[in-house]
Amino acid sequence: SQTIHQWPATLVQPVGSPLSLECTVEGTSNPNLYWYRQAAGRGLQLLFYSVGIGQISSEVPQNLSASRPQDRQFILSSKKLLLSDSGFYLCAWTTGTNQYFGAGTRLSVL
Amino acid sequence: AQSVTQPDIHITVSEGASLELRCNYSYGATPYLFWYVQSPGQGLQLLLKYFSGDTLVQGIKGFEAEFKRSQSSFNLRKPSVHWSDAAEYFCAVGASGGGADGLTFGKGTHLIIQP
């Protein structure tokens, strides 16, 4: 069966520090992969999606970037975190009709 | 552009009572519609989805939703809620179950269950 791993679960980082969140999918190949952010009191906002290795589409201009170095690995990064980057980050994947989500990473930038 | 509106930010329901969570969408073509549930600190779990066919869809945990094209709505219902149903509920619309473009989510409805 397919599973999605996302880590770390919780992260506290100072303003200006770098960020790297990783997401991996098991049990499937060539999935579409997504990063969403859920800010306090808001819904989910699609940040990036990828349809293949090295292919990244950005939905919202921001302080973040994404990379897909392997078929089932999706990484969210930042060189310098801002206070506004705080939120709950969710990785998701799909190979067809359903979209499945990881457990999320709660990022607090202080 | 597609959008999803969940007009109720918070809803409080007594345990055992019926529930209806509202969702309205705006989409230029035939929508693919979803309801997800998020427990505190957790990721999202798919409750149910509508692609085509019968407009009343059944999901997990006793939930159902009805697609009404004329009203651009996809409301979620449950005949009798349990305390474990307390969570955040998100309605979402997409082109093809997510496809390559991802889903557009509403801002969510926080469900509180009173004993």
Side-chain angles (χ1 to χ4, degrees):
Chain A
S1 63
Q2 304 93 341
T3 57
I4 181 168
H5 301 282
Q6 194 178 337
W7 68 91
T10 305
L11 191 60
V12 180
Q13 292 284 102
V15 169
S17 64
L19 172 73
S20 180
L21 302 180
E22 188 163 344
C23 170
T24 58
V25 180
E26 294 180 358
T28 186
S29 58
N30 197 31
N32 291 338
L33 296 172
Y34 309 83
W35 279 110
Y36 290 87
R37 177 171 59 198
Q38 185 179 25
R42 299 186 178 183
L44 279 77
Q45 179 185 38
L46 179 63
L47 301 176
F48 301 95
Y49 67 89
S50 170
V51 299
I53 296 174
Q55 301 178 61
I56 307 296
S57 296
S58 174
E59 290 293 299
V60 181
Q62 59 215 314
N63 185 42
L64 302 169
S65 62
S67 62
R68 185 169 177 175
Q70 301 180 44
D71 180 46
R72 289 171 286 180
Q73 185 184 31
F74 204 25
I75 298 171
L76 183 70
S77 304
S78 174
K79 292 182 179 179
K80 289 186 177 182
L81 284 169
L82 305 172
L83 288 174
S84 57
D85 292 324
S86 294
F88 192 51
Y89 289 82
L90 288 159
C91 179
W93 72 274
T94 181
T95 58
T97 56
N98 293 345
Q99 191 158 116
Y100 299 96
F101 288 81
T105 296
R106 184 159 303 282
L107 172 65
S108 298
V109 183
L110 305 177
Chain B
Q2 58 205 49
S3 66
V4 176
T5 301
Q6 293 180 248
D8 304 306
I9 298 175
H10 300 279
I11 282 188
T12 301
V13 178
S14 298
E15 190 170 14
S18 63
L19 170 71
E20 182 169 32
L21 302 182
R22 295 183 291 168
C23 172
N24 294 96
Y25 67 90
S26 174
Y27 194 71
T30 300
Y32 289 75
L33 295 159
F34 305 81
W35 274 101
Y36 285 87
V37 61
Q38 183 182 33
S39 297
Q42 301 298 311
L44 274 70
Q45 181 182 24
L46 179 66
L47 284 176
L48 48 79
K49 62 190 178 190
Y50 170 79
F51 291 160
S52 64
D54 192 347
T55 56
L56 183 64
V57 294
Q58 302 298 319
I60 62 171
K61 304 184 179 184
F63 286 93
E64 66 178 27
E66 185 171 13
F67 170 59
K68 293 185 178 180
R69 185 186 299 275
S70 62
Q71 298 178 20
S72 297
S73 69
F74 189 56
N75 295 347
L76 182 71
R77 301 195 294 249
K78 187 170 184 177
S80 176
V81 298
H82 186 262
W83 64 267
S84 60
D85 293 324
E88 192 86 16
Y89 290 81
F90 292 94
C91 181
V93 65
S96 58
D101 297 333
L103 300 178
T104 298
F105 285 83
K107 293 188 177 181
T109 296
H110 184 59
L111 176 62
I112 300 167
I113 306 297
Q114 281 184 336

